């Protein structure tokens, strides 16, 4: 099993709130800040190309209508997702997953690749992402942590790359989440900060799993979670949390 390294801070959606989400520009900013790990979301275009986007539609990030799963990759890759964030980022487009992985490798960033399937294509998305990772030489790809809210997507992807660390994502803790994570061979259960308690974290750790928490933007909260035993947090404000993560990272 390759080792994700379990950094204490992971820049959410590439560069957090400091760049348009899920873009190569975000990766550059995360690296410049001194982050060692990023998270991003991968979805398939209509013609089966994995690319970085969180929502099933373009409205929020591009300011135009469009359904990702119904659009060809060529149109999506030409879609500006920078201008809505800030005019300074105009021209920043949706990247292919393979290009984001290569950029992470070049920048020395570990990559938490969240498989974010559009509804109904969970297995296909897991298969395509897994096959892409399997096709890349170890010297081409960064250190990767695979994750998904979809157990089906994660199971299929893991079958392609069983040696890559993986994490199951849930919005709210319950005992079945631990069971599912263990059944999937995950090393981590990744949980939302909302409704999370110290007892939940203790239960995850007792099961022998790591625990990562999203999305944490306040240093005080990051310190409290670290005291509970949380192994790392996803943040939109890596600039604020880097000093905290330096404290919670193993030497
Ligand atoms: O993987 C942590 C986090 O990214 C999960 O939530 O909706 O931002 O993908 P979301
Ligand atoms: Mg995500």
């Amino acid at each position: 099993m390759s080792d994700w390294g379990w950094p204490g801070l992971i820049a959410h959606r590439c560069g957090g709130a400091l760049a348009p989400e899920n873009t190569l520009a975000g990766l550059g900013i995360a690296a410049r800040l001194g982050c060692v790990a990023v998270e991003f979301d991968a979805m398939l275009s209509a013609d089966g190309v994995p690319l970085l986007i969180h929502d099933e539609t373009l409205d929020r990030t591009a300011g135009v209508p469009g359904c990702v799963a119904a659009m060809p990759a060529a149109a999506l890759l030409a879609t500006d997702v920078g201008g809505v964030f800030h005019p300074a980022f105009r021209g920043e487009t949706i990247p292919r997953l393979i290009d984001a992985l290569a950029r992470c490798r070049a920048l020395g960033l570990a990559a938490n690749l969240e498989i974010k399937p559009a509804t109904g294509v969970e297995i296909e998305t897991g298969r395509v992402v897994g096959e892409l990772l399997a096709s890349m030489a170890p010297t081409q790809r960064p250190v990767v942590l695979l994750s998904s809210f979809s157990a089906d997507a994660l199971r299929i992807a893991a079958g392609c790359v069983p040696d890559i660390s993986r994490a199951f994502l849930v919005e709210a803790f319950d005992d079945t989440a631990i069971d599912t994570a263990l059944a999937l061979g995950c090393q981590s259960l990744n949980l939302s900060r909302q409704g999370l308690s110290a007892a939940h974290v203790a239960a995850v750790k007792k099961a022998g799993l790591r625990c990562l928490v999203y999305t944490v933007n306040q240093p005080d909260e990051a310190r409290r979670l670290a005291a509970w035993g949380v192994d790392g947090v996803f943040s939109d404000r890596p600039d604020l949390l880097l000093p905290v993560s330096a404290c919670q990272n193993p030497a």
Side-chain angles (χ1 to χ4, degrees):
M1 181 68 67
S2 66
D3 186 23
W4 160 250
W6 306 101
L9 176 68
I10 304 157
H12 187 225
R13 303 185 191 176
C14 291
L18 306 175
E21 67 182 52
N22 286 317
T23 62
L24 299 182
L27 297 178
I29 284 172
R32 288 180 77 152
L33 285 173
C35 293
V36 298
V38 296
E39 181 265 3
F40 47 73
D41 308 289
M43 195 179 291
L44 295 186
S45 63
D47 45 350
V49 176
L51 34 79
L52 266 54
I53 192 160
H54 179 276
D55 299 357
E56 292 198 34
T57 65
L58 297 176
D59 305 58
R60 183 178 61 86
T61 53
V64 296
C67 175
V68 175
M71 293 176 68
L76 291 165
L77 298 173
T79 299
D80 187 317
V81 286
V84 165
F85 178 82
H86 191 283
F89 288 94
R90 202 170 283 141
E92 192 69 28
T93 52
I94 296 172
R96 296 187 303 167
L97 173 60
I98 193 168
D99 295 326
L101 289 168
R103 185 66 61 90
C104 285
R105 172 85 191 186
L107 292 170
L109 291 166
N112 174 200
L113 193 178
E114 184 191 334
I115 308 168
K116 185 76 90 182
T119 307
V121 286
E122 289 82 2
I123 288 175
E124 178 67 0
T125 308
R127 184 186 65 76
V128 170
V129 169
E131 287 180 355
L132 173 65
L133 287 170
S135 74
M136 297 176 79
T139 51
Q140 283 181 299
R141 69 184 189 207
V143 173
V144 172
L145 173 68
L146 264 178
S147 66
S148 190
F149 288 103
S150 166
D152 284 340
L154 196 53
R155 183 182 302 108
I156 299 296
C160 300
V161 280
D163 289 341
I164 289 184
S165 298
R166 50 193 179 270
F168 185 49
L169 269 163
V170 291
E171 287 178 5
F173 174 85
D174 64 29
D175 290 333
T176 67
I178 291 178
D179 294 342
T180 303
L182 292 172
L184 289 167
C186 291
Q187 286 72 54
S188 179
L189 179 60
N190 296 358
L191 300 165
S192 169
R193 57 179 288 279
Q194 293 184 332
L196 188 68
S197 72
H200 297 153
V201 177
V204 173
K205 305 306 295 270
K206 190 176 172 198
L209 293 163
R210 303 270 188 165
C211 184
L212 308 181
V213 176
Y214 65 92
T215 305
V216 178
N217 296 329
Q218 301 292 336
D220 284 351
E221 184 176 21
R223 285 189 199 92
R224 187 175 75 245
L225 292 171
W228 288 359
V230 165
D231 294 280
V233 295
F234 300 90
S235 184
D236 293 323
R237 293 302 305 268
D239 53 327
L240 298 181
L241 264 65
L242 273 165
V244 178
S245 76
C247 298
Q248 71 186 55
N249 270 332

